[in-house]
Amino acid sequence: MIKVKTIGMIEKNAKNNPTVKAHQDLKNGVLHTVSNGITELPKVGTSDDKQSKNICIALNTGSGDKRYTDFIIKKDEFVNSYLLSSWEGQEIVFDESHITYENSEDYSKIKPNETKLVAGEDGNFKVETDISNHQIYFEVTEKLQFNGNAVSAKIVCN
């Protein structure tokens, strides 16, 4: 599950594009970019072509029991696509199902105020030690329990 840390993020400074359509079935909370009104999974940043800071997050509202689960946004359905850079300095909270670990990484190795996350090519967050190829990243500020192991992460534009 994923959520904004404060309701003011939605009420006061959200940049939402509700006319975007899903390019494939997407898990609510997926990180993406938008091209011609269609979602795309983020591309890897390189030293020659840094990952865009125009990373968005899909935050659709489920109804009924779906409000409490990570539901699927079906291909060609509308996506509430929020531009994360408009929330710079604020935090989002998500459980570890939204983190893709590599090799020997796991939740126990996440350290508040040290661990940095970036948008992965699969639409999840991933741990990154070198954020120089990313124009936006997420600094873990707290480990907590929210639908299991979770983190709160501050949005930082690089």
Side-chain angles (χ1 to χ4, degrees):
M1 300 231 351
I2 193 160
K3 66 179 185 170
V4 293
K5 191 151 189 181
T6 65
I7 195 67
M9 293 169 70
I10 301 290
E11 290 179 340
K12 297 182 179 155
N13 62 354
K15 290 193 179 170
N16 175 25
N17 184 346
T19 64
V20 173
K21 288 192 173 185
H23 73 286
Q24 66 183 36
D25 287 358
L26 301 172
K27 179 177 165 181
N28 195 46
V30 73
L31 302 174
H32 61 277
T33 57
V34 177
S35 178
N36 298 318
I38 306 292
T39 62
E40 290 182 344
L41 293 175
K43 293 178 176 56
V44 173
T46 65
S47 57
D48 293 330
D49 187 21
K50 296 188 185 316
Q51 187 181 59
S52 171
K53 82 173 185 180
N54 292 324
I55 302 290
C56 299
I57 189 167
L59 288 178
N60 283 19
T61 303
S63 60
D65 289 343
K66 279 187 176 180
R67 290 177 32 185
Y68 307 104
T69 63
D70 281 325
F71 57 90
I72 299 298
I73 303 165
K74 296 288 188 188
K75 180 180 180 189
D76 295 326
E77 283 184 359
F78 288 108
V79 176
N80 284 329
S81 180
Y82 290 91
L83 183 64
L84 286 164
S85 62
S86 70
W87 290 334
E88 183 177 12
Q90 298 184 69
E91 296 184 30
I92 52 178
V93 177
F94 48 94
D95 67 38
E96 72 176 329
S97 73
H98 292 273
I99 302 172
T100 300
Y101 297 110
E102 299 204 11
N103 302 326
S104 63
E105 296 171 347
D106 64 31
Y107 185 76
S108 68
K109 295 189 177 144
I110 292 177
K111 306 275 187 248
N113 303 314
E114 290 180 27
T115 302
K116 293 178 179 44
L117 307 168
V118 296
E121 291 178 286
D122 61 356
N124 274 347
F125 296 87
K126 73 173 196 165
V127 176
E128 183 63 59
T129 53
D130 179 9
I131 48 123
S132 62
N133 295 334
H134 303 271
Q135 293 181 20
I136 188 168
Y137 67 93
F138 310 88
E139 184 177 315
V140 175
T141 59
E142 181 180 10
K143 289 172 79 171
L144 42 91
Q145 291 296 304
F146 169 65
N147 197 40
N149 293 335
V151 299
S152 183
K154 180 171 69 170
I155 301 163
V156 181
C157 292
N158 198 7

